[in-house]
Amino acid sequence: MQIWNRNRQVVYRSDAPRGARLTDAGGPSDELIAALSGTTESEVLSADHPPTSERDVRKLLRRHGDLMEVYVPIKNHGHTVGAFEVYLQNAATEAAIAQDTNRLYLVVLLGLSVLYAVVFRIVAAASRRLRDHAAELRRHAERSEHESLHDPLTGLPNRMLLRDRAHQAIVRGRRTGEETALLLIDLDSFKEINDTLGHHSGDVLLREVGIRLTRVLRESDTVARLGGDEFGILLPDVGGEEGAVTVARAVHRALQHPFPVQGLMLDVEGSIGIALLPAHAESFDELMQRADIAMYAAKGRRTGYEVYVPDATDGDRSRLKLASELRDAVARGEVVLHYQPKCEMRSGRVTGAEALMRWYHPTHGAIAPDRFIPLAERSGLIRSLTMFAIESAIAECRRWIDDGVDLAVSVNLSTRDLIDVQLPDDIARLLGERNVPANRLELEITESVIMADPLRARGVVSRLRDMGVNVAIDDFGSGYSSLGYLKRLPVNELKIDKSFVLGMTDDEGDGVIVQSTIDLAHNLGLRVVAEGVETEEVWERLRSMGCDIAQGYLISRAMAGSEFRRWLDSSGRSGSAAA
Ligand code: G
Ligand code: G
Ligand code: MN
């Protein structure tokens, strides 16, 4: 940088009169006025088009090219006292400016780079956090979806997921014609294990069962836990009944090996019901219901597995119509209980009555229980029908108590009832509501009902007995219960099947059976009831054989509640009157 003050240096004094330029003619320039008031001013003078007429300046411009004219204020103690006018070679100034500009660019570039790096890191961190949060949300959603579709204990799909998969199979099957099977598995001795070894052992066992079932099956099959000790297996594209049976056999075999639970080897067999789509059902619910029926058949026959057999009468319109009418019959008051007296043989006193169901259909008239009870069992109505019977019987018993009539009431149970572990609690509640002592209620269960699931039946019967409810084995001799098992079943009463009683005076064999049954019952400490007592002759034989109680047409048919009460009063059999 060169200062041209040697060639031309003009000094102004700030207190000099305005415009009193010492060397120049003409008024002061704007730049000069600005410099005198304290600010540095500059101006570029072009050599090509000199803006000034001063000779010195023009000479300088010729020699050095473009010039920068700068006015610099001269300050003394903060006051501007004058100004320099300086000429700088513009090329040098431009070079210096260019260098400064480049340096500035560099600084700005570096600054921007640093800023970019910092901002980038902040943004990256923020977006990472956002991504993590989104992933967490997704995981959470997946987890709760998994939870809603799976059983927490075994981790297997639950009923909802099974239903969904079955639905998919149904839709697919309509297009491809493929057959799907549903296997319903109920463990035979789970309840006993759960009750005796505790819930923890039960849990371990259920998990093990789940693992074993999964191992036997293909990946495309679905094993679901439906609750309690019930499992469902959906076999898509199973290859018909033959394929389903092959799988059922494999499943049954897999469950036959004992399960190690807390140092014990437990035998847990399962009963498997098989139903097929589209052969047996059109919907999932129907499929479940059919498999359920097959499963109870497998339990009853103790065959391990059974395929659903369509009822020959299923196609019978009137039968189906009846089933749907039964659904509303109770609510419409068409179903009522009749009471048949049970008579103590020694005293002739009536000690109880058996409640027998009657359905008065508005167009078909009276329908026998033999016709509609199996219908209720097949359509899933039996539970509500049984609860209706128990509730009505308890209500009737309450009326007897209120009137000072000292009688027990008996109600019949069917297969499904005894497998329902909820039953004892429901009965306890109904007794409590009416304030009827438990020993006023007796439940009649047939051998076949007991043998369908002996362990569970024993569990339910034991709980009923613990509550004080009496239990009788109905139709004894018609089934095939094992005496060994019977010995351990905590019942109070044995009812000899009426087929033996009806013919006992004509058929020597029947007489022997009746006598043996009475002796057997007494040896087991049970009370004996003879059903189907129609004649005086049979009554006398039974009495001499030591039978405790008689029931039959000789005494009376079953009667409606009010009629039964009138009969009781007029016969003088309640209390201590003799036969
Ligand atoms: O009387 P009777 O025809 O009513 O009985 C025919 C059959 O129906 C008998 O085996 C009897 O046990 C059964 N039965 C009658 N009432 C009921 C009932 O309320 N529930 C069940 N499960 N069976 C009943
Ligand atoms: O299976 P359960 O014992 O519950 O059946 C009782 C059935 O026996 C009812 O159908 C009832 O009407 C019928 N019953 C009751 N007493 C007699 C009788 O003396 N003779 C005949 N044949 N049936 C009877
Ligand atoms: Mn009965």
PDB file of all heavy atoms in Angstrom, residues 354 356 412 444 474 495 531, ligand 3:
ATOM      1  N   GLU A 354     -88.153 -87.391  43.148  1.00  0.00           N
ATOM      2  CA  GLU A 354     -87.243 -87.145  42.032  1.00  0.00           C
ATOM      3  C   GLU A 354     -87.897 -86.149  41.089  1.00  0.00           C
ATOM      4  O   GLU A 354     -89.051 -86.323  40.689  1.00  0.00           O
ATOM      5  CB  GLU A 354     -86.929 -88.450  41.283  1.00  0.00           C
ATOM      6  CG  GLU A 354     -86.002 -88.198  40.088  1.00  0.00           C
ATOM      7  CD  GLU A 354     -85.608 -89.468  39.337  1.00  0.00           C
ATOM      8  OE1 GLU A 354     -86.062 -90.570  39.722  1.00  0.00           O
ATOM      9  OE2 GLU A 354     -84.845 -89.337  38.361  1.00  0.00           O
ATOM     10  N   LEU A 356     -88.485 -84.694  37.600  1.00  0.00           N
ATOM     11  CA  LEU A 356     -88.372 -85.161  36.216  1.00  0.00           C
ATOM     12  C   LEU A 356     -88.921 -84.085  35.287  1.00  0.00           C
ATOM     13  O   LEU A 356     -90.012 -83.556  35.505  1.00  0.00           O
ATOM     14  CB  LEU A 356     -89.123 -86.488  36.047  1.00  0.00           C
ATOM     15  CG  LEU A 356     -88.500 -87.652  36.838  1.00  0.00           C
ATOM     16  CD1 LEU A 356     -89.511 -88.785  37.047  1.00  0.00           C
ATOM     17  CD2 LEU A 356     -87.243 -88.183  36.157  1.00  0.00           C
ATOM     18  N   ASN A 412     -81.685 -84.895  38.155  1.00  0.00           N
ATOM     19  CA  ASN A 412     -80.805 -85.678  37.283  1.00  0.00           C
ATOM     20  C   ASN A 412     -79.763 -84.788  36.596  1.00  0.00           C
ATOM     21  O   ASN A 412     -80.069 -83.691  36.141  1.00  0.00           O
ATOM     22  CB  ASN A 412     -81.627 -86.373  36.189  1.00  0.00           C
ATOM     23  CG  ASN A 412     -82.533 -87.443  36.764  1.00  0.00           C
ATOM     24  OD1 ASN A 412     -82.084 -88.533  37.100  1.00  0.00           O
ATOM     25  ND2 ASN A 412     -83.814 -87.115  36.903  1.00  0.00           N
ATOM     26  N   GLU A 444     -78.642 -87.043  40.859  1.00  0.00           N
ATOM     27  CA  GLU A 444     -78.545 -88.396  40.315  1.00  0.00           C
ATOM     28  C   GLU A 444     -77.655 -88.373  39.083  1.00  0.00           C
ATOM     29  O   GLU A 444     -77.904 -87.605  38.147  1.00  0.00           O
ATOM     30  CB  GLU A 444     -79.945 -88.909  39.934  1.00  0.00           C
ATOM     31  CG  GLU A 444     -80.870 -89.000  41.139  1.00  0.00           C
ATOM     32  CD  GLU A 444     -82.165 -89.750  40.832  1.00  0.00           C
ATOM     33  OE1 GLU A 444     -82.318 -90.261  39.686  1.00  0.00           O
ATOM     34  OE2 GLU A 444     -83.018 -89.838  41.731  1.00  0.00           O
ATOM     35  N   ASP A 474     -77.366 -93.399  39.347  1.00  0.00           N
ATOM     36  CA  ASP A 474     -78.653 -93.703  38.721  1.00  0.00           C
ATOM     37  C   ASP A 474     -78.492 -94.867  37.750  1.00  0.00           C
ATOM     38  O   ASP A 474     -77.391 -95.099  37.237  1.00  0.00           O
ATOM     39  CB  ASP A 474     -79.113 -92.453  37.955  1.00  0.00           C
ATOM     40  CG  ASP A 474     -80.629 -92.397  37.801  1.00  0.00           C
ATOM     41  OD1 ASP A 474     -81.306 -93.337  38.267  1.00  0.00           O
ATOM     42  OD2 ASP A 474     -81.116 -91.397  37.228  1.00  0.00           O
ATOM     43  N   LYS A 495     -79.110 -96.446  42.780  1.00  0.00           N
ATOM     44  CA  LYS A 495     -80.458 -96.706  42.272  1.00  0.00           C
ATOM     45  C   LYS A 495     -80.395 -97.845  41.257  1.00  0.00           C
ATOM     46  O   LYS A 495     -79.747 -97.707  40.207  1.00  0.00           O
ATOM     47  CB  LYS A 495     -81.046 -95.449  41.611  1.00  0.00           C
ATOM     48  CG  LYS A 495     -81.254 -94.297  42.595  1.00  0.00           C
ATOM     49  CD  LYS A 495     -81.941 -93.107  41.945  1.00  0.00           C
ATOM     50  CE  LYS A 495     -83.463 -93.306  41.884  1.00  0.00           C
ATOM     51  NZ  LYS A 495     -84.149 -92.087  41.395  1.00  0.00           N
ATOM     52  N   GLU A 531     -85.933 -98.732  41.373  1.00  0.00           N
ATOM     53  CA  GLU A 531     -86.784 -97.939  40.475  1.00  0.00           C
ATOM     54  C   GLU A 531     -87.702 -98.890  39.708  1.00  0.00           C
ATOM     55  O   GLU A 531     -87.377-100.047  39.512  1.00  0.00           O
ATOM     56  CB  GLU A 531     -85.928 -97.202  39.441  1.00  0.00           C
ATOM     57  CG  GLU A 531     -85.139 -96.053  39.990  1.00  0.00           C
ATOM     58  CD  GLU A 531     -84.464 -95.289  38.851  1.00  0.00           C
ATOM     59  OE1 GLU A 531     -83.584 -95.866  38.193  1.00  0.00           O
ATOM     60  OE2 GLU A 531     -84.853 -94.136  38.628  1.00  0.00           O
TER      61      GLU A 531
HETATM   62 MN    MN B   3     -83.149 -90.538  37.711  1.00  0.00          MN
END
